Structure formats: structure tokens, C-alpha cells
Amino acid sequence: SLGEGREGLLVDIGAHDNLMSDGWLNRVRALLSQKGLPDATFTPLKQPLGVEGVGAGAQSAHQCASVQLALQGGLCATFTAPMLASSDIPALLGLKSLEDKRAIIDVPGRVLHLAGPGDYKVVLPPGRQSFDLSLIHL
């Protein structure tokens, strides 16, 4: 929770994909209702999704939820993720979505850039150190 009647997504490059809890979603649905916006939609998963490493041990998601989000600058987006029942973990914006949106995370500036299509150039100061990263599938 961001306070002041606001909910957010936790940017989590350690999470393979998006994930949400019914606790987070219920708070968001209440905010949507207050503003007269459309409710979330639900889709059953073809098979349960096992999740570990978040919340209380091993859990399973049985449905996916989609919810409209109001972003800074008046922008709107849809967040879709498997939903854990009886949980209150924050909504996770995972690596797959970040890659799809070509995200650039400016850690000291606390800014998430979604580059979109086309080329971009990152200009770094002298003395910088850069390290290639690897994706490991567990």
C-alpha cells in the first residue's frame, strides 16, 4: 500500500512473472468501486500454478485476475496476474512483463522507464563499471 488510498505494484526482477494476492486485489477493487471504474475480471487457470518464496510457504493460484490501473500522468493500464487466495502479498510486476515493456530501472532516481519500441541510448558518466547479467532458469 502506498497510503492515501493508493495501491502500487512491486517491481520484482526476481519474480519470473506477475503475481497478486486476493488481499491486494480486494483493496484495489474497493478503490475502483469508489471511483465508479470497472471491476476486475477473473479467468480460471487451466492448471494450478505452484508458487514458493513469497508469502507463507508453498501456495497455489487457481485463477488469474485482470484489473485496470490508473498511472501517473493520467495513463491507464491493465495488470493481469495469477492470484493467490487467502494472501496479502503485494502485487508483483515480474521480469517477463518488464522485458515485454523494455523496462529500464533507474535505482538511485527511483524511476521505472518503459522504453517502448525503437532504439534508445543510455549515457553513463566516466568511471562507470558495467557488468553483463545472465538469466538462469531454475
Side-chain angles (χ1 to χ4, degrees):
S1 175
L2 298 173
E4 301 175 10
R6 296 173 39 210
E7 292 290 330
L9 303 176
L10 178 63
V11 176
D12 187 351
I13 64 169
H16 170 70
D17 207 346
N18 298 342
L19 187 66
M20 71 172 80
S21 67
D22 60 352
W24 178 86
L25 182 61
N26 288 335
R27 291 190 303 275
V28 169
R29 292 176 76 193
L31 293 170
L32 292 171
S33 178
Q34 289 172 7
K35 297 178 190 278
L37 297 172
D39 196 7
T41 58
F42 300 90
T43 307
L45 294 173
K46 292 178 183 172
Q47 60 185 27
L49 174 68
V51 177
E52 293 185 42
V54 294
Q59 302 172 74
S60 295
H62 297 272
Q63 61 182 338
C64 197
S66 294
V67 62
Q68 287 188 5
L69 301 177
L71 305 177
Q72 296 170 356
L75 298 174
C76 293
T78 301
F79 180 70
T80 302
M83 183 185 66
L84 297 175
S86 304
S87 176
D88 202 28
I89 66 161
L92 305 179
L93 183 59
L95 185 60
K96 184 177 173 186
S97 288
L98 292 166
E99 287 177 334
D100 288 346
K101 298 293 184 184
R102 301 182 66 219
I104 303 165
I105 302 171
D106 175 0
V107 176
R110 295 185 182 169
V111 177
L112 174 66
H113 303 278
L114 302 180
D119 293 331
Y120 61 85
K121 188 173 194 167
V122 176
V123 180
L124 299 172
R128 58 98 167 98
Q129 295 177 329
S130 299
F131 304 93
D132 293 333
L133 301 177
S134 296
L135 181 61
I136 299 173
H137 297 281
L138 301 176

